[in-house]
Amino acid sequence: MSTQPKSAPTYVWEPTTDFLASKYGLPRDSIVRFDVNTSPTPPNLRDVLAGSFDPALCEYPPSDYAALVAAAAQAYGVGADELLPTAGADEALDLIARATLREGSVAVVATPTYAMYRIVSEQRGAKVVEVPRLGPEEGFRLDIATLAMAARAAQIVWLCEPNNPTGVLEPPERIGELLAVLESDARREGRETPTVAVDEAYTEFVGRSVLPLRYDYPKLVVVRTLSKAHALAGARVGFAVARPETLAPVTSFRAPASVGTVSAALATAALLRPELAAGNVARIAEQRTRLLRDLTEFGWRPYPSQVNFILIRFSSQSAAAAAAEALLRVGLVPRTFGPGHPFADCLRLTVRSAQENDRLIEAARGIPA
Ligand SMILES: Cc1ncc(COP(=O)(O)O)c(C=O)c1O
């Protein structure tokens, strides 16, 4: 019998910038990442930190991350006791899965969506039940009735709002409706309500949140990040946000000081300057309108988007693969969806700066849809 540990399901990225530069014989700095939904304008570090930075790198960060937590409490409108700083949203997702799931548990995922909900659930030995969203003609909305049915046997329901990769938001009232049904079903059947995790990685682009629902549904955990609208993906800072009694078990799984001192200082400064993220959101909205218009003009079929990425449907899986290859050859990296994925005939493209989007439009002009 093999003594090798079984490898766990894991996240798969598009190839790295160095790999692609070498494969396509392109200068490294000509490669533009349209695949990872980051914002193209990082905050000016000197400006953001503005004299308030005392890194003390020989020491650990304070165990309560008091300054970071205070800044996030103010930015998100929640109590300091409702916030757990994490190394990006991804660490929050992992900790929520650890706190909620064990071998044989059931996790419900509204699909297609961000791959990590399935991954962190399966890593805990849980069975994943997928509940497909409604089709594009119905705006990729949640199938509330089927979700509620599946949730009756589940320990957790994972939602992404606005959803990656469909790029649209379920109105928070509809999430409220779902939570009310989960609550009444559980009460009637005399069992605990499932945890509902809502990943709001892109919330700043829509300016709406389910956070107010945490009073009605105490097992709601919201996940936030500095990686998207705040343009700090490299810093790796996110949060789990929940009522203190829901947050406590999640907190207990985090390794001590998983958010580094430099990252915590950057995120604190960025959260105290909301106009920086607001500027990114405004610039991206302008570029999104222009990308949607221009791509549509030469026959591409983008779906509507409220966020910093656009999902585009091609005539077939091979047309999507050919478009991806044509973009890669000129150093533009799209997000692809593997064979078997419901969006295997789609590409997802991040909305980037005006100049970077110029390159995308120029390249896309000659690529059949
Ligand atoms: C929905 C969603 N959640 C979480 C993440 C990861 O965020 P972070 O960089 O904060 O780990 C991403 C990144 O693409 C995402 O799309």
Side-chain angles (χ1 to χ4, degrees), residues 289-321:
T289 304
R290 175 246 180 158
L291 264 184
L292 286 168
R293 186 194 56 223
D294 289 0
L295 293 175
T296 308
E297 212 164 80
F298 42 83
W300 283 31
R301 284 175 298 151
Y303 288 112
S305 164
Q306 297 171 277
V307 290
N308 66 335
F309 56 83
I310 299 173
L311 183 70
I312 298 157
R313 178 85 70 180
F314 287 80
S315 56
S316 65
Q317 203 169 312
S318 57

